[in-house]
Amino acid sequence: MVLAAAAMLALAGCKGGDLVSYDLPAKSARYTFETRTNDVKTVWQYTSATATKDDAPKLSPCVGELVGSNHAACRPEPLIFLRYDFGLALDNTAKAGEKHEVTVVGYYQQRLTDLPEVTSLKAETTFDGGRTWHPAATKATGKNTFTTIIDNPRREKAAEGVGLRISATDSQGNTVRQTIPTAYTLR
């Protein structure tokens, strides 16, 4: 299986220098990792240190094992990822002037074996392109699952659509803050 994965990486043009990995100091420290994709900004803060033992299943080995360049202990970082069920109509809109329910699920990389639990989630909305933010009622509805209720304004009050900012924290103190400038538009 490892050879097949390495062959697939080679066929895809990946070489050791194209794959991302990094070494951390032995002492545990707080790190910030930020990314922006299609105007969606995500900022993670987490605590980590050098891996002392592998935390990667055999069916999903570390990058160094695939390309043969690094056999040091490795593991994925405890980043909280967010999955959304916006409950939108087929045209990706919600009704203006009504309450709208959005479900948010926090999850982790499948390779992470010591899974924390997402313990809190806060939602904020914007109707003016991010100039002002308003808290939205949020409640836990299952393991790592939260529901937030957005009070959609009249359509003309949210001409740029409805933006969403989610902040979540897990049982190990790791956090994520994700800003979606336009999560959906109103009809």
Coordinates of all heavy atoms in Angstrom, one line a residue, residues 92-143:
N92 N -29.0 28.1 -3.5 CA -28.1 28.5 -2.5 C -28.5 29.8 -1.8 O -27.7 30.6 -1.4 CB -26.7 28.7 -3.0 CG -26.0 27.3 -3.3 OD1 -26.3 26.4 -2.6 ND2 -25.3 27.3 -4.4
T93 N -29.8 30.0 -1.6 CA -30.4 31.1 -0.9 C -31.2 30.7 0.3 O -31.6 29.5 0.4 CB -31.2 32.0 -1.8 OG1 -32.4 31.2 -2.2 CG2 -30.5 32.5 -3.1
A94 N -31.4 31.7 1.2 CA -32.3 31.5 2.3 C -33.4 32.6 2.2 O -33.1 33.6 1.6 CB -31.6 31.5 3.6
K95 N -34.5 32.4 2.9 CA -35.5 33.4 2.9 C -35.1 34.6 3.8 O -34.7 34.5 4.9 CB -36.8 32.8 3.5 CG -37.5 31.8 2.5 CD -38.8 31.4 3.1 CE -39.5 30.4 2.1 NZ -40.8 30.0 2.6
A96 N -35.3 35.8 3.2 CA -35.1 37.0 3.9 C -36.1 37.2 5.0 O -37.3 36.8 4.8 CB -35.1 38.2 2.9
G97 N -35.8 37.9 6.0 CA -36.7 38.3 7.1 C -37.2 37.1 8.0 O -38.1 37.3 8.7
E98 N -36.5 36.0 7.9 CA -36.9 34.8 8.7 C -35.7 34.3 9.4 O -34.5 34.6 9.1 CB -37.4 33.7 7.8 CG -38.8 34.1 7.2 CD -39.4 32.9 6.4 OE1 -38.9 31.8 6.5 OE2 -40.4 33.1 5.8
K99 N -35.9 33.5 10.4 CA -34.8 32.8 11.2 C -34.3 31.7 10.3 O -35.1 31.0 9.6 CB -35.3 32.3 12.5 CG -35.6 33.4 13.5 CD -35.9 32.8 14.9 CE -36.3 33.9 15.8 NZ -35.3 34.9 16.1
H100 N -33.0 31.5 10.3 CA -32.4 30.4 9.4 C -31.5 29.6 10.3 O -30.6 30.2 11.0 CB -31.7 31.0 8.2 CG -31.2 30.0 7.3 ND1 -32.0 29.3 6.5 CD2 -29.9 29.6 7.1 CE1 -31.2 28.5 5.8 NE2 -29.9 28.6 6.1
E101 N -31.6 28.3 10.2 CA -30.7 27.4 11.0 C -29.5 26.9 10.2 O -29.7 26.4 9.1 CB -31.6 26.2 11.5 CG -30.9 25.3 12.4 CD -31.8 24.2 12.9 OE1 -32.7 24.5 13.8 OE2 -31.7 23.0 12.5
V102 N -28.4 27.0 10.8 CA -27.1 26.4 10.2 C -26.5 25.5 11.2 O -26.4 25.8 12.4 CB -26.1 27.6 9.9 CG1 -24.8 27.0 9.4 CG2 -26.7 28.6 8.9
T103 N -26.1 24.3 10.7 CA -25.5 23.3 11.5 C -24.0 23.3 11.2 O -23.6 23.3 10.1 CB -26.1 21.9 11.3 OG1 -27.5 21.9 11.6 CG2 -25.4 20.8 12.1
V104 N -23.2 23.3 12.3 CA -21.7 23.3 12.1 C -21.2 22.1 12.9 O -21.5 21.9 14.1 CB -21.1 24.6 12.7 CG1 -19.6 24.6 12.5 CG2 -21.8 25.8 12.1
V105 N -20.3 21.3 12.2 CA -19.7 20.2 12.9 C -18.2 20.4 12.9 O -17.6 20.7 11.8 CB -20.0 18.9 12.1 CG1 -19.3 17.7 12.7 CG2 -21.5 18.6 12.0
G106 N -17.6 20.2 14.0 CA -16.1 20.3 14.2 C -15.6 18.9 14.0 O -16.1 17.9 14.5
Y107 N -14.5 18.7 13.3 CA -13.9 17.4 13.1 C -12.4 17.6 13.0 O -11.8 18.7 12.8 CB -14.5 16.7 11.9 CG -14.2 17.3 10.6 CD1 -13.2 16.8 9.8 CD2 -14.9 18.4 10.1 CE1 -12.9 17.3 8.5 CE2 -14.7 18.9 8.9 CZ -13.6 18.4 8.1 OH -13.4 18.9 6.9
Y108 N -11.7 16.4 13.0 CA -10.2 16.4 12.9 C -9.8 15.5 11.8 O -10.6 14.7 11.3 CB -9.6 15.9 14.2 CG -10.0 16.8 15.4 CD1 -11.2 16.6 16.1 CD2 -9.2 17.8 15.8 CE1 -11.6 17.5 17.1 CE2 -9.5 18.7 16.8 CZ -10.8 18.5 17.5 OH -11.1 19.3 18.5
Q109 N -8.5 15.5 11.5 CA -8.0 14.6 10.5 C -8.2 13.1 11.0 O -8.0 12.9 12.1 CB -6.5 14.8 10.3 CG -6.1 16.1 9.6 CD -4.6 16.2 9.4 OE1 -4.0 15.4 8.8 NE2 -4.1 17.3 9.9
Q110 N -8.5 12.3 10.0 CA -8.8 10.9 10.4 C -7.6 10.2 11.0 O -7.7 9.3 11.8 CB -9.3 10.1 9.2 CG -10.7 10.5 8.7 CD -11.1 9.7 7.5 OE1 -10.3 9.1 6.8 NE2 -12.4 9.7 7.3
R111 N -6.4 10.7 10.7 CA -5.2 10.0 11.2 C -4.9 10.3 12.6 O -4.1 9.7 13.3 CB -4.0 10.5 10.3 CG -4.0 9.9 9.0 CD -2.8 10.4 8.2 NE -1.6 10.7 9.0 CZ -0.6 11.4 8.5 NH1 -0.6 11.8 7.3 NH2 0.4 11.7 9.3
L112 N -5.5 11.4 13.2 CA -5.3 11.8 14.5 C -6.0 10.8 15.5 O -7.2 10.6 15.4 CB -5.9 13.2 14.8 CG -5.4 13.9 16.0 CD1 -3.9 14.1 16.1 CD2 -6.1 15.3 16.1
T113 N -5.2 10.1 16.3 CA -5.8 9.0 17.1 C -6.4 9.5 18.5 O -7.3 8.9 19.0 CB -4.8 7.9 17.4 OG1 -3.7 8.4 18.0 CG2 -4.5 7.2 16.0
D114 N -5.8 10.5 19.0 CA -6.2 11.1 20.3 C -7.1 12.3 20.1 O -6.6 13.4 20.1 CB -5.0 11.4 21.2 CG -5.4 11.9 22.6 OD1 -6.5 11.6 23.0 OD2 -4.6 12.6 23.2
L115 N -8.3 12.0 19.7 CA -9.2 13.1 19.3 C -9.8 13.9 20.5 O -10.4 13.4 21.4 CB -10.4 12.5 18.5 CG -10.1 11.9 17.2 CD1 -11.3 11.2 16.6 CD2 -9.5 12.9 16.2
P116 N -9.5 15.2 20.4 CA -10.2 16.1 21.4 C -11.7 16.2 21.1 O -12.1 15.7 20.1 CB -9.5 17.4 21.2 CG -8.4 17.2 20.3 CD -8.7 15.9 19.6
E117 N -12.4 16.9 22.0 CA -13.8 17.1 21.7 C -14.0 18.6 21.6 O -13.5 19.4 22.4 CB -14.7 16.6 22.8 CG -16.1 16.7 22.5 CD -17.0 16.0 23.6 OE1 -16.5 15.0 24.2 OE2 -18.2 16.4 23.7
V118 N -14.8 19.0 20.6 CA -15.1 20.5 20.4 C -16.1 20.8 21.6 O -17.2 20.2 21.6 CB -15.7 20.8 19.0 CG1 -16.1 22.3 18.9 CG2 -14.7 20.4 17.9
T119 N -15.7 21.7 22.4 CA -16.5 22.0 23.6 C -17.3 23.3 23.5 O -18.3 23.4 24.3 CB -15.5 22.1 24.9 OG1 -14.5 23.1 24.6 CG2 -14.9 20.8 25.2
S120 N -16.9 24.2 22.7 CA -17.7 25.4 22.5 C -17.6 25.9 21.1 O -16.6 25.7 20.4 CB -17.2 26.5 23.5 OG -16.0 27.0 23.2
L121 N -18.7 26.6 20.7 CA -18.7 27.2 19.4 C -19.5 28.5 19.5 O -20.6 28.5 20.1 CB -19.3 26.3 18.4 CG -19.3 26.8 16.9 CD1 -18.8 25.7 16.0 CD2 -20.7 27.2 16.5
K122 N -18.9 29.6 18.9 CA -19.6 30.9 18.9 C -19.8 31.3 17.4 O -18.8 31.1 16.6 CB -18.7 31.9 19.6 CG -19.3 33.3 19.7 CD -18.4 34.2 20.5 CE -17.7 35.1 19.6 NZ -16.8 36.1 20.2
A123 N -21.0 31.8 17.1 CA -21.2 32.2 15.7 C -21.5 33.7 15.7 O -22.2 34.2 16.6 CB -22.4 31.4 15.1
E124 N -21.1 34.4 14.7 CA -21.4 35.8 14.4 C -21.8 35.9 13.0 O -21.3 35.2 12.1 CB -20.2 36.7 14.7 CG -19.7 36.6 16.1 CD -18.3 37.3 16.3 OE1 -17.3 36.7 16.0 OE2 -18.4 38.5 16.7
T125 N -22.7 36.9 12.7 CA -23.1 37.2 11.3 C -22.8 38.6 10.9 O -22.7 39.5 11.8 CB -24.6 36.9 11.1 OG1 -25.3 37.7 12.1 CG2 -24.9 35.4 11.4
T126 N -22.7 38.8 9.6 CA -22.6 40.2 9.1 C -23.5 40.3 7.9 O -23.7 39.3 7.2 CB -21.1 40.5 8.7 OG1 -21.1 41.9 8.3 CG2 -20.6 39.6 7.6
F127 N -24.1 41.4 7.8 CA -25.0 41.7 6.6 C -24.5 42.9 5.8 O -25.1 43.3 4.9 CB -26.4 42.0 7.2 CG -26.9 41.0 8.1 CD1 -27.2 41.3 9.5 CD2 -27.1 39.7 7.8 CE1 -27.6 40.4 10.4 CE2 -27.5 38.7 8.7 CZ -27.8 39.1 10.0
D128 N -23.3 43.4 6.2 CA -22.7 44.5 5.5 C -21.3 44.3 5.0 O -20.5 45.2 5.0 CB -22.8 45.8 6.3 CG -22.1 45.6 7.7 OD1 -21.3 44.6 7.8 OD2 -22.2 46.5 8.5
G129 N -21.0 43.1 4.6 CA -19.7 42.7 4.1 C -18.6 42.7 5.1 O -17.4 42.8 4.8
G130 N -18.9 42.5 6.4 CA -17.9 42.4 7.4 C -17.6 43.7 8.2 O -16.7 43.7 9.1
R131 N -18.3 44.8 7.9 CA -18.0 46.0 8.6 C -18.5 45.9 10.1 O -17.9 46.4 11.0 CB -18.7 47.2 7.9 CG -17.9 47.5 6.6 CD -18.5 48.8 5.9 NE -19.9 48.6 5.4 CZ -20.2 47.9 4.3 NH1 -19.2 47.4 3.5 NH2 -21.5 47.8 3.9
T132 N -19.7 45.2 10.3 CA -20.2 45.0 11.6 C -20.6 43.5 11.8 O -21.0 42.9 10.8 CB -21.4 45.9 12.0 OG1 -22.4 45.6 11.0 CG2 -21.1 47.3 11.9
W133 N -20.4 43.0 13.0 CA -20.7 41.6 13.3 C -21.7 41.5 14.4 O -21.6 42.3 15.3 CB -19.4 40.8 13.6 CG -18.5 40.6 12.5 CD1 -17.5 41.5 12.1 CD2 -18.6 39.6 11.5 NE1 -16.9 41.0 10.9 CE2 -17.5 39.8 10.6 CE3 -19.4 38.5 11.4 CZ2 -17.3 39.0 9.5 CZ3 -19.1 37.6 10.3 CH2 -18.1 37.9 9.4
H134 N -22.6 40.6 14.3 CA -23.7 40.4 15.3 C -23.7 39.0 15.8 O -23.6 38.0 15.1 CB -25.1 40.6 14.7 CG -25.1 41.9 13.8 ND1 -25.3 43.1 14.4 CD2 -24.9 42.1 12.5 CE1 -25.3 44.0 13.4 NE2 -25.1 43.4 12.3
P135 N -23.7 38.8 17.2 CA -23.8 37.4 17.7 C -25.0 36.7 17.2 O -26.1 37.3 17.1 CB -23.7 37.6 19.2 CG -24.1 39.0 19.4 CD -23.9 39.8 18.2
A136 N -24.9 35.4 17.0 CA -26.0 34.5 16.7 C -26.1 33.4 17.7 O -25.1 32.9 18.2 CB -25.8 33.9 15.3
A137 N -27.4 33.1 18.1 CA -27.6 32.1 19.1 C -27.1 30.8 18.6 O -27.3 30.4 17.5 CB -29.1 32.0 19.4
T138 N -26.4 30.1 19.5 CA -25.8 28.8 19.2 C -26.0 27.8 20.3 O -25.9 28.2 21.5 CB -24.3 29.0 18.9 OG1 -24.1 29.9 17.9 CG2 -23.6 27.7 18.5
K139 N -26.3 26.6 20.0 CA -26.4 25.5 21.0 C -25.8 24.2 20.5 O -25.8 23.9 19.3 CB -27.9 25.3 21.4 CG -28.7 24.8 20.3 CD -30.2 24.5 20.7 CE -31.0 24.0 19.6 NZ -32.3 23.7 19.9
A140 N -25.3 23.5 21.5 CA -24.7 22.1 21.2 C -25.9 21.2 20.9 O -26.9 21.2 21.6 CB -23.9 21.6 22.3
T141 N -25.8 20.4 19.8 CA -26.8 19.5 19.4 C -26.4 18.1 19.3 O -27.1 17.2 18.8 CB -27.5 20.0 18.1 OG1 -26.5 20.2 17.1 CG2 -28.3 21.3 18.4
G142 N -25.1 17.8 19.6 CA -24.5 16.5 19.5 C -23.0 16.6 19.7 O -22.5 17.7 19.8
K143 N -22.3 15.4 19.6 CA -20.9 15.4 19.7 C -20.3 16.3 18.6 O -20.4 16.0 17.4 CB -20.3 14.0 19.7 CG -18.8 14.0 20.0 CD -18.3 12.6 20.0 CE -16.8 12.7 20.3 NZ -16.2 11.4 20.3

